Amino acid sequence: MTVEPTPVTVFTGFLVGAGKTTLLISQLALLKQLPKNYKVAILKNEYGDIKIDSALATQSNGNLAGVTEMLNGCLCCVLTGQMRAAIIELQEKYHPDRILIETSGSAFPATISIQLRDLAKEFSGQASGQGIRLDGVVNVIDVENFTGYADTSKTAALQAQYTDLIVFNKWENVSERQFDIVWDRVNDLNTDTPKIKSINGSISLEAILGIDSKLGLALLEAPRHQGSHDHAGHGHDSDEHVSEIETLTVKFPKKDLDGKELTSFFNYIEIAPKDEIYRMKFVVRLPGSALPAASKSDSSDPRTYILNWAFGRYEFTLISEEAAPALLDDYLAGIGTVMVGRGDGRRFRKRLSSGILGDGVKVEL
């Protein structure tokens, strides 16, 4: 008996902070509308070597079957050969009804779609349950910052061009005129693709399920040599692509239980240069009373939080003990990544190691 292929939805968005993870998690919450036996598996791709976001997804919904994170590279170049194995593992382990892929912020969607096309052909007609089909590519646009990088990054423009649905995110934080400028810029890049606004980082479930990818169909019809050579016409140079960002790993040493060792770090996230630092992701364990004023609670017991910082805005998310990643066995205070522009890694390593994040903090490039 031939098993129906598993639909795959791909989320893209330039660099970090566009809102891909928030949108993906909101879709998991909406899955409660579907039967309880409808299961979703997630494949997350991230620069850096620390699994942080899995905890956010894991505690979000009972329809989530499992999460796999692919670190230290991008699916469309460095990790290109590993996506096949990851998808097969998700299918064999969880037997999902749908797979959601969140790409790194520098991913070229056409390249990933080509890989999915090849997998679809490889498993076509098999009864193993490993068959897949590309259901759609969703591009998340950070309206607050899009005009700042659309003209300087080939990747940002390509993500807006090679997609089946464009989601305008964070539009609530800008003026109507600013939004119109972004809308016009995106229309210059891609006139025909449907475009919608998110509501607090979320869109309807119907907008995601059943997109019926035009990009996927086009790539299925394209000759193999055309797709693999120029990636649907954009001349992908993997060296240029990989160097678009550099990632620093920051580790806070084990100290007291009151969280005071993070005071310097919390002061820094208030003033960190948003035009130089793209994103910070950390997992920290400390009392809620030790958090910055905007996030502080009355709790005096150590709890695990995930910090997401992007373009000067940040949020602490409390993680249940069951979902908390096992990253802090050796680091009581916290561990995480700081993402900066290409060529800035060594400079920021020196700056962040100078003591502005606190005593004894280790910064690795």
Side-chain angles (χ1 to χ4, degrees), residues 13-184:
F14 184 61
L15 288 183
V16 286
K20 299 185 295 294
T21 300
T22 299
L23 180 62
L24 186 148
I25 290 175
S26 74
Q27 295 306 300
L28 294 179
L30 292 174
L31 286 175
K32 294 178 182 178
Q33 304 169 14
L34 300 177
K36 291 183 178 180
N37 61 352
Y38 187 92
K39 296 298 181 181
V40 170
I42 294 176
L43 175 59
K44 284 183 58 65
N45 177 213
E46 188 62 271
Y47 281 105
D49 56 2
I50 304 172
K51 295 182 179 181
I52 294 178
D53 284 340
S54 291
L56 288 172
T58 300
Q59 70 170 9
S60 62
N61 184 262
N63 291 83
L64 179 63
V67 182
T68 293
E69 285 197 70
M70 297 179 63
L71 307 176
N72 284 320
C74 180
L75 283 175
C76 71
C77 46
V78 177
L79 304 178
T80 181
Q82 299 180 30
M83 185 168 71
R84 176 184 182 278
I87 288 179
I88 291 175
E89 179 183 1
L90 285 174
Q91 290 184 303
E92 291 181 345
K93 189 174 182 179
Y94 302 113
H95 306 289
D97 296 285
R98 178 175 293 269
I99 295 174
L100 305 178
I101 297 179
E102 180 185 339
T103 67
S104 74
S106 291
F108 288 163
T111 312
I112 293 174
S113 298
I114 289 167
Q115 294 181 58
L116 293 173
R117 177 203 67 175
D118 290 345
L119 279 177
K121 285 187 174 181
E122 178 182 349
F123 297 124
S124 177
Q126 292 189 16
S128 62
Q130 292 178 344
I132 63 168
R133 65 176 177 86
L134 177 60
D135 192 46
V137 178
V138 180
N139 179 228
V140 184
I141 298 288
D142 175 1
V143 173
E144 279 190 289
N145 300 286
F146 186 76
T147 55
Y149 53 64
D151 294 326
T152 59
S153 171
K154 180 173 65 176
T155 303
L158 288 168
Q159 287 179 348
Q161 290 173 315
Y162 293 94
T163 186
D164 300 297
L165 177 67
I166 293 174
V167 178
F168 289 103
N169 199 31
K170 304 182 185 179
W171 60 272
E172 302 98 330
N173 301 327
V174 304
S175 67
E176 185 175 348
R177 175 172 173 75
Q178 288 174 300
F179 176 73
D180 287 342
I181 291 173
V182 175
W183 181 281
D184 290 341

Side-chain angles (χ1 to χ4, degrees), residues 192-204:
D192 299 328
T193 295
K195 304 169 184 68
I196 61 175
K197 292 180 178 179
S198 69
I199 302 298
N200 296 321
S202 178
I203 61 176
S204 69

